[in-house]
Amino acid sequence: MKILVLNAGSSSLKYKIFDLDHDLVLASGLVEKIGEEKAHLIYETKSKKTYEEEAPFKNHKEALEKIISILLDKKLGVLNSVSELQGVGHRVVHGGESFKIPCKVNEEVLKGIEKMIPLAPLHNPPNLEGLKVSMSLFPKVPQVAVFDTSFHQTMPKHAFRYALPEDLYEKHGLRRYGFHGTSHHYVAKVAANYLNIPIEKLNAITFHLGNGGSMAAIKGGKSIDTSMGMTPLEGLVMGTRSGDIDPAIPFFLERELKMDLKSIDLLLNKKSGLKGICGKNDIRDISRLSKNGDEKATLALNIYCYRIKKYLGAYLALLPKLDALVFTAGIGENSTLVREMILKDLNHLGINLDQEKNKNVKRGTIQAIQAEGKDQTVIKILVVPTDEEKEIASQTKGILN
Ligand code: ADP
């Protein structure tokens, strides 16, 4: 079964084509700077054939048309005809309460995604554009929308409601939704499989630590809480997002610094987090600077890991028993230092990191890095490479079957 996965951003389009029967990625790539003079397209096949082009793709339609022409190209392509595609899976950021599972896209679904725009004004419009363009270019291929929010729809009311007047929830949908659901779900399933525990029995805390970051408490395979909220701004300290702050800070910024809402939005989403504290948002740079004695970089690391540790404590209290901690995404998979700082001094809670195993994590494979004691009930600490596109492809297959 061949499935194309699309992830449309405001000026970008990521794509990956899977042959699920043979567990293969046939080709993948990205178009960036759509709408600009020099949009940039990259393409790579599983046999390492590559292609790059700079061209003024005016919109997502032109970009996708180009991608299709390459996929069908005699030398570079991986398809003989578009009819070989059995489905297109789309990443959609916000599904609100309407979309608790992925679904096949029709007019009603498009309207539903459009309705969520007030909750995700930056993400849902380009996702919707990607869907519409794909439907117009592949009218005979079924399209499936997979939502970042769906996995967290199992959160109980006391976890997802804010302490705000009920009307704001009932009429305007102000509540916590959570994001990165596809990744949390995927790594939880991979961890369950690795540990030989049925997913319905898995209790875990998942750490998706990339440029954006979130954690989830998973009980019996279901998300019961997660650190992001109505938007991805709530929760952990991230590359450029503040995460949790006193909600009164924007009032101060407006009153005392005369900032308008747009500047406050920009400040909290793009100029805060690690970048706000030390001027850098890549953990590799920050770790290097800190090692060389840079105090701001050290503080950034300390604040970053301290926040994660606090959420870990909170989620430990929510789970009756814990099978595993699961680290994933750019930082979770690659930063020995961050994992070490988060898990330091937690032996009294049954969390024991093996320093050597932590240092020697091999890229791209599942690794268990807990210290093995005699006690079989020791909490497993796993590093699991995430693969959101693969999960979207397999969810797409599931819906189409
Ligand atoms: P996104 O949220 O954009 O998908 P990723 O999951 O790709 O982000 O994570 C990106 C971040 O991962 C980078 O900003 C960097 O901080 C971190 N990262 C990537 N590779 C490494 C590495 N080898 N060591 C430590 N950190 C890394």
Side-chain angles (χ1 to χ4, degrees):
M1 187 174 210
K2 288 179 185 158
I3 303 278
L4 172 66
V5 172
L6 293 178
N7 181 354
S10 57
S11 60
S12 66
L13 183 62
K14 262 195 206 165
Y15 61 96
K16 218 170 199 181
I17 176 159
F18 291 86
D19 176 350
L20 290 181
D21 299 330
H22 303 97
D23 200 14
L24 291 174
V25 178
L26 298 177
S28 63
L30 167 72
V31 187
E32 285 177 302
K33 300 188 181 170
I34 295 173
E36 289 182 34
E37 201 61 2
K38 282 189 176 169
H40 186 210
L41 178 147
I42 49 174
Y43 171 83
E44 185 177 5
T45 68
K46 79 170 179 12
S47 49
K48 301 282 171 224
K49 283 183 208 160
T50 56
Y51 177 77
E52 269 192 64
E53 180 176 331
E54 267 187 359
F57 301 118
K58 273 202 227 79
N59 48 38
H60 286 77
K61 184 159 183 276
E62 286 190 5
L64 188 55
E65 277 168 347
K66 182 69 200 184
I67 295 166
I68 298 168
S69 77
I70 304 169
L71 290 172
L72 295 173
D73 184 84
K74 287 224 156 51
K75 273 195 200 144
L76 292 165
V78 291
L79 294 176
N80 294 314
S81 135
V82 166
S83 63
E84 283 173 41
L85 278 183
Q86 276 148 305
V88 184
H90 296 261
R91 174 182 183 222
V92 179
V93 167
H94 218 305
E97 286 187 341
S98 309
F99 299 106
K100 296 192 188 306
I101 51 168
C103 63
K104 209 167 149 182
V105 181
N106 54 27
E107 281 304 315
E108 204 182 324
V109 170
L110 289 178
K111 278 194 197 127
I113 296 172
E114 203 168 344
K115 255 186 159 171
M116 302 304 153
I117 288 177
L119 293 172
L122 296 181
H123 293 102
N124 272 29
N127 296 162
L128 205 53
E129 179 61 15
L131 262 162
K132 287 181 181 166
V133 165
S134 174
M135 286 167 92
S136 74
L137 295 177
F138 309 115
K140 294 201 177 126
V141 184
Q143 316 274 328
V144 172
V146 179
F147 302 89
D148 267 22
T149 45
S150 292
F151 181 58
H152 303 301
Q153 278 294 301
T154 44
M155 279 195 281
K157 214 169 209 170
H158 54 257
F160 75 65
R161 274 288 300 274
Y162 289 114
L164 291 170
E166 191 180 16
D167 255 17
L168 290 175
Y169 165 59
E170 295 290 350
K171 291 199 185 133
H172 302 282
L174 264 68
R175 52 157 281 182
R176 310 183 60 251
Y177 293 96
F179 299 87
H180 294 139
T182 313
S183 177
H184 288 292
H185 194 186
Y186 175 77
V187 297
K189 285 192 285 187
V190 171
N193 192 33
Y194 180 82
L195 298 172
N196 227 346
I197 299 173
I199 181 72
E200 320 77 68
K201 297 237 164 86
L202 180 81
N203 286 355
I205 298 173
T206 47
F207 302 69
H208 177 107
L209 307 177
N211 208 9
S214 67
M215 288 168 61
I218 295 175
K219 185 175 169 189
K222 296 198 163 92
S223 172
I224 59 160
D225 205 351
T226 189
S227 56
M228 283 178 168
M230 186 177 94
T231 75
L233 187 54
E234 188 179 333
L236 307 182
V237 173
M238 301 176 223
T240 61
R241 295 188 192 120
S242 63
D244 297 337
I245 55 167
D246 184 331
I249 288 176
F251 312 148
F252 176 92
L253 296 173
E254 194 267 346
R255 195 178 61 237
E256 301 297 329
L257 306 186
K258 309 291 174 230
M259 286 176 74
D260 60 15
L261 281 182
K262 217 170 157 194
S263 333
I264 297 175
D265 188 335
L266 193 72
L267 173 85
L268 299 180
N269 275 296
K270 300 272 183 216
K271 297 184 180 173
S272 298
L274 295 167
K275 189 166 192 144
I277 306 166
C278 72
K280 302 262 182 219
N281 63 325
D282 190 309
I283 285 286
R284 286 164 290 197
D285 297 332
I286 298 170
S287 305
R288 201 170 351 95
L289 286 167
S290 168
K291 208 171 160 195
N292 293 335
D294 185 303
E295 282 179 20
K296 285 184 189 167
T298 304
L299 179 64
L301 271 174
N302 284 337
I303 297 177
Y304 180 81
C305 295
Y306 178 76
R307 179 81 51 88
I308 296 172
K309 207 179 183 99
K310 280 215 290 192
Y311 269 91
L312 169 58
Y315 289 174
L316 277 171
L318 299 181
L319 297 168
K321 150 184 174 292
L322 180 64
D323 299 306
L325 304 177
V326 185
F327 286 88
T328 195
I331 300 169
E333 290 169 36
N334 295 304
S335 177
T336 302
L337 178 64
V338 165
R339 289 190 301 258
E340 185 187 318
M341 287 175 70
I342 297 167
L343 301 178
K344 195 162 182 267
D345 297 333
L346 296 180
N347 302 15
H348 62 294
L349 297 171
I351 297 171
N352 296 301
L353 182 70
D354 183 306
Q355 302 293 347
E356 277 311 301
K357 287 183 191 162
N358 185 38
K359 266 187 210 142
N360 294 312
V361 167
K362 287 189 203 75
R363 274 179 159 228
T365 56
I366 307 167
Q367 314 258 305
I369 55 171
Q370 73 282 352
E372 288 302 345
K374 285 184 202 109
D375 187 357
Q376 285 302 305
T377 60
V378 65
I379 294 168
K380 304 286 189 289
I381 306 171
L382 303 181
V383 178
V384 176
T386 193
D387 195 337
E388 286 163 288
E389 285 88 8
K390 188 172 172 191
E391 178 64 11
I392 293 174
S394 73
Q395 299 263 4
T396 300
K397 179 181 170 186
I399 291 293
L400 297 179
N401 285 344

